[in-house]
Each structure stands twice: as C-alpha cells, then as structure tokens.
C-alpha cells in the first residue's frame, strides 16, 4: 500500500520503518527540515536501539523515502498517519495545532479516497473535529478518520511496533476498517491482537493506558515511602504484589519517578478531557503529585546525607528519562538536578547518550565524560537512570575517587551487599539503607 507519515519523531519514525518493513511504500515528512535532511542521508535524528540498521535497510529496499515537502508525500497515498507532537498547553490541554495543520495538508494534497489515521495521542473527540475539517477543506474527496494509537516505548520502540501486543483501530466506516486491516495484515497474520472499536473508545483507551501505568508507578513510589519507614523492602513487596496475575509486576519499580513526554502530558490531558466532559478525576492529580514527591524524596535524601548542600559535589549517573534513549524530556534526573542546584550544590552528571541534550536543557549542569570523572571528588553519587553499564561499575575505583562514599540509588540498581562490602553508605529507594558502623554522616 502507499502510505504517508506526517511527523518523523519518536512515534512517526518507528512507524515509517515498521510499515516499510511490512512491505508498504512509505513516504515520511516533518516540519523540521534538518531532521528530514538527516533521514534522507540515512541518519536517525535521535537514538533508538536498532533504528540505524533498520532505517538503512528500508531505505535500500526503495520502499522508504523522506521529503520536507508535503506535496511529495501525500499524493497517491491511501492512508496518511498523523504522528506530530501534541504538547501540553499552559492549561494542560493537548495543543492540537500541529494535528490540525497536518490534516489540512493531507486534505490539500489528497488525490483520492483517503484514510487519515491519528497516531498522535489526542483527546477523545479529536477525530470528529478532524472529520469536519477534512470535509470542509476538500468536499470533493472521500475521507475517513481513524484512531490508531501507538503503544511503543522509547528505547524499545522498534520491538514494540514490529511485534505489538495489540493494534487498536477506532473507526466508523467499514472501508476504513478494511484499509487498516490491510496495513497491519502482516502483523495480525503473525498473531498480534487486533482490537476494532469506535473512535472515541480508541482515543480514550490510549490515555487510559498511560494514566494507569503512571498510576502503578506512583503507587509503588508512595508505598516506598512507607516501606522505608517500616523497615520493609519495596522490591520484595512489589514481587509479592506482582506474583498476583491480577496485579502484575511491571511498572511497580519504585524510584525517582516517571519521566518522558508521554505520562505527564497524557495525565494532564486526560484530566482536562474529564473536566471538559463535566466530570472530575482527582486520582490523576494525585498520581502526578506523587511523582513530584518521588523526586523530592531523593532530593531530601541527598540533603539529609550531606547536611549543607552548598559547595558539595553531587554526581548524577544517568540523565535520560529512561535507559536506551537520549531523550531528556521531563527527565526526573534533570528535575532532581534543578532542585539540588537551587540549593547551591555543585551538580555534575554523566549519561551514555543524553549528555548533550541534558546540557542544552540545563546549562548549569556540568557534564562528565564517564562515571568515574563524575565520581571524582563527589560527596554523593545519585543513580538516576538505570543504564546497563552502571551495573558493571568498578565499585572499588568509584569509592577511591569520591570525597564521601555516599550513594543514593534512585532506581534500586545496585546490590546492597556489594555496597556494604565496599564500605559505601547506601540509600536505595524503599529498601533498608546500608550505613557502615563508622560512617560519620
Ligand atoms: C510510555 C508507554 O509505556 C508506552 O506504552 C506509550 O506508547 C508511550 O508512553 C507513549 O505514549 O508514547 P515511554 O514514555 O517511552 O512509554 O517509557 P516507559 O518505558 O513507559 O517509561 C516511562 C517512565 O516511567 C520512565 O521514566 C521510567 O523510568 C519510569 N518507570 C517505568 C518507573 O519509574 N517505574 C517503573 O516500574 C516503570
């Protein structure tokens, strides 16, 4: 099939390479001409495991191309996927301007019956608006809008979109369902579950998934405050809870809280959807508040461990909002850095991929080239993002470099016994601290 993708960011680009690898002819475009120039040369504009290889492979197949000119992309397409950003406005509502402009562009360049598929996360009711807009722009063309939300996670985006656990299609007209079945046939043939529903249900289901995942994380973080005080172990509590298939173990890892562009924005947007529909959903506000509390808890632990923060060097390991990405949007590590900087600590950080983005976002943060440079002279080290390389650190070397051997583990990555054996004072999250007998702090 001929497919156009508008928006080649963290959702749109994996969508392009996935659809192309399913055998479709895909053309991608983006308002960011620099990003399209990179893509046309075969270079992904952000880090995502496996993306370089798949992009190269699909470009070589001749099925995947990019252009900054929408007029090169939409004509001839049977389906246009809208994958542009929907950032929060100051009142929390999703800003849908880019979605509207994309739909207008799609209408202007449509050459035949066209399915416009929303992949951007949008509030319930958006498809209805788009349908009206498309009909006004081009009364001569038959359009159907479908909601086809994306459930991919950054860091495992390709695996998630090449082997999705579900494909959700919300539509009205049978021909639009049929078109979308054809798009995903290579995946449904291999067993991916296809859920067909109405448009509002599909739109709302996406918000519901992200809000519920955020809720699980905030629940674990609230419980971690409790287990710390009770002398209990949050990781084991989560294991016990997770053994119940009705609960499940995923997203019960307590720590520095959730980050990334999706959970924050979708929680806010869902609150506004609820308000706009005349109902209140205060639980969502509490989920967000508990996430702030999780970051503050680590800031408080740092201050508690170091007494006065002025002129103390705090080394942050991991700056990306999660491992395997260079994305620092709403990164808990940077939120923590800001809080520590406000208290006049000297904050340095290291990340395997996200250092440049972190520096651009927070210029006051000193960037180090490796974990050991970060640790040198540090009075405290805070593990913020659980990159795999941090599980293999030379703990003896780390300790010999630090001014004070204090480690705060915002992701429960380190092993308490190893920390004890190396003489660290160690504060995990929701678990018992390791405090050597002779530790003065
Ligand atoms: C999230 C959803 O997981 C995807 O299903 C969805 O498609 C995507 O948003 C989206 O709407 O685009 P993503 O934000 O990429 O994906 O990352 P996650 O892996 O879900 O992690 C989000 C944050 O939660 C990270 O900061 C992570 O460290 C944190 N987290 C995750 C925890 O603090 N504890 C956990 O147990 C799990």
């Amino acid at each position: 099939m001929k497919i156009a993708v508008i928006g080649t960011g963290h959702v749109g680009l994996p969508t392009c390479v996935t659809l192309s690898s399913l055998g479709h002819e895909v053309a991608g475009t983006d308002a960011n001409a620099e990003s399209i120039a990179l893509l046309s040369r075969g270079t992904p504009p952000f880090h995502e495991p496996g993306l370089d290889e798949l992009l190269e492979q699909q470009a070589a197949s001749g099925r995947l191309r990019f252009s900054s000119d929408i007029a090169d992309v939409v004509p001839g397409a049977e389906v246009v996927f809208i994958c542009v950003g929907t950032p929060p406005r100051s009142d929390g509502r999703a800003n849908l301007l880019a979605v509207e402009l994309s739909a207008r562009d799609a209408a202007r360049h449509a050459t035949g019956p066209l399915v416009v598929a929303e992949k951007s996360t949008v509030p319930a009711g958006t498809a209805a608006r788009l349908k009206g807009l498309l009909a006004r722009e081009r009364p001569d063309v038959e359009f159907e809008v479908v909601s086809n939300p994306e459930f991919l996670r950054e860091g495992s985006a390709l695996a998630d979109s090449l082997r999705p656990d579900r494909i959700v299609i919300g539509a009205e007209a049978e021909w639009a369902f049929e078109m979308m079945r054809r798009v995903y046939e290579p995946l449904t043939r291999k067993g991916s579950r296809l859920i067909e529903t109405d448009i509002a249900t599909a739109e709302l289901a996406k918000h519901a998934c992200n809000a519920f995942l955020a809720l699980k994380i905030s629940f674990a973080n609230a419980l971690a405050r409790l287990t710390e005080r009770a002398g209990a172990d949050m990781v084991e509590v989560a294991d016990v809870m997770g053994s119940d298939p009705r609960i499940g173990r995923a997203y019960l890892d307590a720590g520095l809280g959730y980050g990334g562009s999706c959970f924050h924005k979708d929680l806010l947007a869902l609150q506004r959807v609820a308000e706009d529909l005349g109902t209140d959903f205060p639980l969502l506000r509490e989920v967000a508040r508990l996430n702030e509390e999780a970051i503050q808890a680590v800031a408080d632990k740092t201050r508690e461990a170091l007494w006065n923060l002025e002129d103390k060097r705090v080394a942050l390991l991991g700056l990306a909002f999660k491992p395997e990405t260079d994305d620092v949007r709403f990164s808990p590590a940077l939120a923590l850095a800001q809080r520590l900087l406000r208290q006049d600590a000297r904050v340095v950080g290291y990340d395997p991929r996200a250092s440049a983005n972190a520096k651009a976002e927070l210029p006051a943060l000193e960037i180090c080239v490796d974990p050991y440079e970060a640790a040198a002279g540090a009075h405290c080290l805070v593990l913020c993002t659980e990159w795999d390389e941090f599980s293999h650190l030379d703990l003896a070397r780390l300790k010999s470099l630090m001014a004070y051997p204090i480690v705060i583990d915002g992701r429960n990555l380190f092993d308490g016994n190893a920390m004890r054996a190396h003489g660290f004072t160690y504060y995990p999250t929701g678990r018992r601290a390791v405090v050597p007998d002779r530790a003065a702090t």
Side-chain angles (χ1 to χ4, degrees):
M1 294 174 76
K2 279 196 80 175
I3 293 175
V5 176
I6 305 180
T8 54
H10 288 277
V11 170
L13 187 51
T15 300
C16 286
V17 294
T18 297
L19 293 174
S20 157
S21 71
L22 299 184
H24 301 302
E25 216 178 294
V26 181
T29 187
D30 198 287
N32 183 338
E34 211 176 299
S35 154
I36 291 296
L38 281 172
L39 287 169
S40 301
R41 291 199 298 274
T43 310
F46 51 84
H47 173 68
E48 184 63 47
L51 189 56
D52 303 47
E53 296 82 356
L54 196 58
L55 182 63
E56 191 185 326
Q57 196 190 88
Q58 292 311 311
S61 76
R63 286 191 302 271
L64 178 61
R65 63 186 177 84
F66 297 94
S67 168
S68 53
D69 186 356
I70 189 100
D72 281 344
V73 166
V74 174
E78 296 158 272
V79 182
V80 171
F81 284 93
I82 297 183
C83 303
V84 294
T86 51
R89 290 187 187 274
S90 55
D91 65 359
R93 286 184 177 79
N95 183 337
L96 299 173
L97 184 60
V99 172
E100 178 181 344
L101 294 177
S102 305
R104 275 216 208 128
D105 279 339
R108 201 166 305 135
H109 297 286
T111 48
L114 187 63
V115 169
V116 175
E118 307 168 336
K119 243 188 204 308
S120 302
T121 302
V122 292
T126 304
R129 289 233 177 233
L130 289 181
K131 204 165 176 202
L133 173 91
L134 293 164
R136 274 194 303 278
E137 291 280 329
R138 287 289 299 277
D140 58 315
V141 175
E142 189 177 7
F143 292 107
E144 275 299 324
V145 178
V146 310
S147 167
N148 175 218
E150 189 50 67
F151 299 98
L152 57 80
R153 293 159 296 175
E154 286 181 34
S156 55
L158 294 181
D160 289 346
S161 53
L162 287 163
R163 283 178 296 282
D165 43 28
R166 81 221 102 150
I167 297 164
V168 176
I169 296 172
E172 273 172 4
E174 178 52 31
W175 74 268
F177 275 119
E178 191 44 41
M179 202 76 113
M180 296 303 286
R181 283 179 207 128
R182 278 176 55 212
V183 170
Y184 289 113
E185 194 277 333
L187 294 178
T188 51
R189 188 171 8 110
K190 279 194 264 162
S192 288
R193 181 172 178 204
L194 180 70
I195 302 176
E196 297 186 358
T197 179
D198 61 85
I199 298 173
T201 301
E203 288 174 334
L204 208 59
K206 165 67 192 208
H207 271 146
C209 289
N210 275 359
F212 194 76
L213 291 171
L215 166 76
K216 281 189 91 176
I217 298 168
S218 279
F219 186 91
N221 283 327
L223 211 52
R225 308 282 83 74
L226 206 62
T227 53
E228 276 174 14
R229 285 168 179 75
D233 188 311
M234 182 53 210
V235 175
E236 290 174 17
V237 169
D239 288 344
V240 173
M241 292 174 67
S243 306
D244 183 335
R246 293 171 302 174
I247 299 174
R249 179 64 178 80
Y251 286 72
L252 285 179
D253 289 326
L256 193 49
Y258 59 77
S261 67
C262 302
F263 287 175
H264 284 272
K265 140 178 110 61
D266 292 352
L267 268 177
L268 271 171
L270 188 55
Q271 275 172 50
R272 295 294 173 258
V273 168
E275 278 169 30
D276 290 348
L277 294 172
T279 162
D280 194 16
F281 203 158
L283 179 63
L284 302 177
R285 281 196 289 281
E286 185 59 9
V287 170
R289 190 194 67 75
L290 286 169
N291 199 53
E292 290 297 307
E293 194 176 277
I295 299 169
Q296 190 56 39
V298 176
D300 290 346
K301 259 184 206 168
T302 314
R303 192 176 32 76
E304 187 60 32
L306 294 181
W307 191 13
N308 298 304
L309 283 175
E310 287 90 345
D311 279 336
K312 298 258 170 53
R313 176 175 164 114
V314 180
L316 307 185
L317 291 193
L319 303 169
F321 87 92
K322 62 183 281 191
E324 297 300 336
T325 178
D326 56 4
D327 194 344
V328 297
R329 287 176 295 171
F330 291 98
S331 168
L334 296 192
L336 174 68
Q338 267 164 333
R339 285 169 206 224
L340 298 174
L341 285 165
R342 275 202 294 273
Q343 296 179 69
D344 292 327
R346 253 186 83 201
V347 186
V348 304
Y350 164 74
D351 190 281
R353 295 270 182 189
S355 291
N357 287 342
K359 184 72 184 172
E361 181 95 3
L362 190 57
L365 179 67
E366 264 178 57
I367 298 293
C368 300
V369 296
D370 65 38
Y372 304 102
E373 187 187 90
H379 298 89
C380 175
L381 188 142
V382 186
L383 189 290
C384 297
T385 315
E386 67 280 30
W387 285 92
D388 190 45
E389 72 169 68
F390 299 147
S391 342
H392 311 294
L393 291 174
D394 177 343
L395 294 178
R397 184 174 167 208
L398 211 62
K399 179 164 181 256
S400 72
L401 289 165
M402 291 178 69
Y404 297 170
I406 300 176
V407 172
I408 296 175
D409 193 343
R411 296 292 172 191
N412 287 333
L413 181 80
F414 297 120
D415 171 39
N417 289 329
M419 299 310 274
R420 187 190 309 279
H422 284 89
F424 282 102
T425 299
Y426 174 60
Y427 300 101
T429 305
R431 320 189 79 179
R432 279 175 287 276
V434 170
V435 184
D437 294 342
R438 283 172 290 107
T441 40

